Amino acid sequence: MIELEYIIINEQAYSFYFTANRKSPLLLIALLLEDGTLLKKSVQHSGRGYEVRKKALKKKIQTMARRHFFLHRILPHPKHFNVEKTNIYCEIMQIINRKN
């Protein structure tokens, strides 16, 4: 499920920064772009629904990154690039394309 855990742009996987502190009611997800723009989303949580909120934040940051790429052609910063997950993603996509 690489597409759920990473940001996929141009068949390349990028990780993002996620932080949460059980004592703090804030979840934060952020992604730095090549041009220095910081995409970030946060949400308050009360302990319940933690995984649901985390998943929703991941989806939002993925959408923001893809939209920013399509509008401005700016990729996430190279420090977020994940070679291992990119290779796995490309292998899986090749298998899927061969079957079709």
Side-chain angles (χ1 to χ4, degrees):
M1 296 299 208
I2 292 173
E3 290 178 333
L4 298 177
E5 295 296 321
Y6 296 87
I7 298 168
I8 306 296
I9 298 175
N10 280 350
E11 297 183 357
Q12 296 177 347
Y14 295 91
S15 57
F16 42 81
Y17 176 76
F18 173 77
T19 186
N21 184 336
R22 296 283 181 191
K23 295 179 182 178
S24 169
L26 184 67
L27 295 173
L28 173 72
I29 289 184
L31 177 72
L32 182 65
L33 302 180
E34 283 180 326
D35 68 348
T37 302
L38 181 65
L39 302 178
K40 63 183 177 179
K41 279 289 180 183
S42 63
V43 68
Q44 299 284 329
H45 75 90
S46 60
R48 293 185 308 248
Y50 174 81
E51 288 300 322
V52 172
R53 288 193 171 103
K54 182 178 172 182
K55 186 176 180 179
L57 279 179
K58 285 181 182 180
K59 188 80 170 160
K60 285 180 183 179
I61 203 79
Q62 288 169 333
T63 302
M64 287 171 64
R66 286 189 201 108
R67 184 178 305 135
H68 199 81
F69 174 75
F70 289 123
L71 292 175
H72 306 287
R73 295 309 223 196
I74 298 172
L75 290 168
H77 194 277
K79 75 177 186 177
H80 294 293
F81 181 66
N82 190 313
V83 175
E84 178 185 344
K85 297 300 179 182
T86 296
N87 291 337
I88 293 169
Y89 178 79
C90 288
E91 288 173 14
I92 291 169
M93 293 308 293
Q94 287 175 355
I95 292 169
I96 290 171
N97 289 335
R98 263 189 259 137
K99 290 184 177 181
N100 289 337

